[in-house]
Amino acid sequence: MSQPQNSPISWFRNTAPYINRHRGSTFVIVIPGAVQESGALPRVLYDVALLNSLGVRLVLVFGSRPQIDRRLKELDIDSSLHRGQRITDSNILPHILQVIGAQRIELEALLSLSLPNSPMQDARLRAASGNFVMAQPIGVVDGIDHHLTGRVRRVDVEGMASLLNSGSLVLLSSIGYSPTGEAFNLSLGDVAISTARDLQADKLIILGSTAGVHDSNGTLIKQYAVDQQAIATPGNEEEARLLRIACDACVAGVPRSHIVSSQDPDALLGELFTTDGSGTLVTNRPYEQSRWASIQDVGGVLDLITPLEESGVLLKRSRDLLEAEIGRFRILERDGRIIACAALYPFAEQHSAELACIVSHPHYRGEQRARRLLQELEREALSQGLREVFVLTTQTAHWFLEQGFQEDSRDKLPPSRQALYNLQRNSKVFFKALKLDA
């Protein structure tokens, strides 16, 4: 008996490409102190254990700001920030070290959990921490002496890589060490970005209190390219701060950064193992891009058009024919998956071109992707000196009318195209004159 599409087995099968893609990858996961404060940490570490079991190499960088704030307040010790970073003197540093030490012990204890009937049963995780981050003092900034506040000088890549290769997780705090034997208080973002950059990590994942970054209307931004203009997040300093860390990591060379919710129990795995994710993806290039197809895309295009060929909406093409014509196809690719396509067949002597195989994946229909490809191919036809485009369709006439096409006689088709007209399909013919602003 076949499984329903939304069954756990079907979902598991659909995650296979992501499991294969992530195996052997290196992820740096940022766990701000607020996550530990919220009580979400055990659940987050359950998912960390699952990623480890799937062969992902993991570095966890944990923050401590709310814990340090609380400790200093309890002791009635004044502390100030400059440009978002704590001024750390010799009176404050010992308390910071105590707080971070207690946090590390809690993390190590939770990662050691392997009780029966728990999500980490038989996980047997090994967590390693040490002096992997070398630091130097920030010094005097804007006339303010930062004392024992520092910045990352270098990261011990070989030491961490050795542990990761053996299957261990690496734990990093916001403390760095100097060759003179001093400890420095560092910013969480500096440690995370430097580590992800120097380890050549595949992803930097930042846990926040919300689903990701939202625009000024409160809408979740699913994809953000670092060259975009700044997005306004009024009244939400956390989102703005996490977005800066994510963008800086991408600028430093990390292919992808993700901002996901620590409060949603499905967010981390949903971001990593589904096409649309659950949070905000930050990249140096668009997550969804349009490009001309190549021979490597034949399989993806076939997967897209085969259901419509079987239902009679499209004329069936053999694989050999598609391989020969693949260069005429323009595709929309989302996270490595082809989600829309369209083809352009010029008839230069008649100054016209046929548009064919305009298809969107069922999950992405109604989002203007087919229209986007149509407009791109119309501009391509114009660039080739063509004056009109036409389509043959049996079931999508209204959509083409909405795009400015008008029905006409098949006798108006170029002679070579008329010779190939399939009388049995009895397709309707629509033409559209091209304009320079198309």
Side-chain angles (χ1 to χ4, degrees):
M1 184 173 63
S2 62
Q3 294 285 341
Q5 289 298 313
N6 59 351
S7 73
I9 299 300
S10 295
W11 181 89
F12 188 63
R13 289 192 181 111
N14 290 333
T15 65
Y18 297 97
I19 293 173
N20 294 330
R21 184 184 306 171
H22 297 331
R23 185 183 298 113
S25 297
T26 301
F27 295 175
V28 175
I29 301 180
V30 181
I31 306 176
V35 174
Q36 211 160 347
E37 291 278 276
S38 70
L41 187 60
R43 178 173 38 76
V44 169
L45 295 183
Y46 297 158
D47 290 344
V48 166
L50 176 58
L51 293 175
N52 178 261
S53 71
L54 294 175
V56 180
R57 295 150 43 100
L58 296 166
V59 178
L60 307 184
V61 185
F62 64 92
S64 312
R65 176 165 291 184
Q67 290 86 350
I68 293 171
D69 286 342
R70 185 174 63 252
R71 172 66 65 86
L72 297 179
K73 184 177 181 180
E74 290 172 350
L75 297 172
D76 199 23
I77 297 176
D78 291 332
S79 175
S80 60
L81 303 177
H82 179 66
R83 296 189 180 183
Q85 196 160 6
R86 192 183 306 277
I87 307 299
T88 309
D89 60 25
S90 57
N91 293 322
I92 290 176
L93 184 62
H95 302 291
I96 292 176
L97 297 178
Q98 290 174 11
V99 168
I100 291 176
Q103 284 183 279
R104 187 180 69 247
I105 291 171
E106 181 185 2
L107 279 163
E108 291 172 347
L110 289 171
L111 290 169
S112 301
L113 178 66
S114 59
L115 290 174
N117 301 319
S118 78
M120 293 178 67
Q121 179 178 349
D122 296 328
R124 295 186 177 87
L125 297 178
R126 294 194 305 272
S129 58
N131 58 340
F132 299 117
V133 179
M134 303 304 293
Q136 62 189 28
I138 287 180
V140 179
V141 178
D142 298 331
I144 300 173
D145 188 349
H146 281 57
H147 301 285
L148 295 173
T149 300
R151 63 168 61 95
V152 176
R153 182 175 181 179
R154 64 177 178 83
V155 174
D156 182 4
V157 172
E158 291 183 4
M160 282 192 285
S162 176
L163 290 166
L164 294 172
N165 291 338
S166 71
S168 297
L169 284 76
V170 174
L171 289 179
L172 296 180
S173 69
S174 55
I175 295 296
Y177 306 92
S178 75
T180 59
E182 294 176 288
F184 287 93
N185 183 26
L186 313 176
S187 78
L188 180 65
D190 188 13
V191 175
I193 293 168
S194 300
T195 302
R197 177 197 64 210
D198 293 355
L199 275 178
Q200 298 182 350
D202 300 278
K203 294 181 183 294
L204 176 70
I205 302 169
I206 310 170
L207 301 177
S209 61
T210 62
V213 176
H214 298 78
D215 64 18
S216 56
N217 296 319
T219 302
L220 177 65
I221 299 167
K222 301 289 289 184
Q223 173 197 350
Y224 186 93
V226 295
D227 59 354
Q228 289 181 235
Q229 293 182 351
I231 294 176
T233 53
N236 196 327
E237 295 182 3
E238 181 202 11
E239 289 189 8
R241 179 172 56 85
L242 298 186
L243 181 60
R244 282 195 299 271
I245 294 173
C247 288
D248 288 347
C250 289
V251 171
V254 180
R256 294 184 174 190
S257 297
H258 302 258
I259 303 172
V260 298
S261 171
S262 62
Q263 305 306 307
D264 179 352
D266 299 328
L268 180 56
L269 298 182
E271 180 72 6
L272 295 173
F273 294 99
T274 63
T275 301
D276 293 327
S278 63
T280 297
L281 168 66
V282 180
T283 64
N284 270 318
R285 64 182 181 86
Y287 173 53
E288 182 175 307
Q289 60 176 334
S290 169
R291 61 177 176 84
W292 290 103
S294 67
I295 193 67
Q296 289 80 16
D297 300 311
V298 169
V301 173
L302 275 174
D303 289 342
L304 197 61
I305 67 177
T306 296
L308 294 181
E309 291 176 343
E310 293 174 347
S311 65
V313 175
L314 293 179
L315 187 64
K316 188 170 180 59
R317 286 172 169 79
S318 68
R319 187 181 185 95
D320 289 343
L321 178 61
L322 185 59
E323 288 180 356
E325 297 180 345
I326 194 65
R328 299 188 182 279
F329 279 75
R330 193 157 185 89
I331 61 174
L332 277 180
E333 184 180 47
R334 183 181 179 89
D335 196 24
R337 180 185 188 186
I338 296 173
I339 62 169
C341 69
L344 180 72
Y345 295 87
F347 294 84
E349 292 185 4
Q350 286 75 34
H351 303 288
S352 65
E354 180 179 4
L355 299 174
C357 276
I358 304 176
V359 179
S360 292
H361 189 280
H363 292 170
Y364 300 97
R365 288 176 188 160
E367 299 182 25
Q368 303 298 318
R369 288 179 173 85
R371 186 181 181 208
R372 173 183 172 183
L373 287 178
L374 174 67
Q375 292 173 339
E376 290 179 358
L377 291 184
E378 288 177 356
R379 287 193 291 268
E380 174 64 22
L382 270 173
S383 73
Q384 296 182 23
L386 307 180
R387 295 195 291 263
E388 65 179 359
V389 290
F390 63 88
V391 296
L392 281 72
T393 182
T394 58
Q395 299 181 31
T396 55
H398 279 207
W399 187 81
F400 285 106
L401 289 171
E402 292 169 3
Q403 310 312 314
F405 285 76
Q406 294 182 345
E407 188 174 1
D408 211 326
S409 167
R410 68 171 181 265
D411 295 334
K412 191 180 174 184
L413 292 171
S416 58
R417 186 64 183 89
Q418 288 186 45
L420 298 174
Y421 184 85
N422 189 323
L423 292 173
Q424 186 175 1
R425 283 179 59 83
N426 193 29
S427 301
K428 294 185 177 182
V429 180
F430 293 83
F431 284 83
K432 180 179 181 180
L434 297 176
K435 300 177 182 180
L436 289 178
D437 59 350

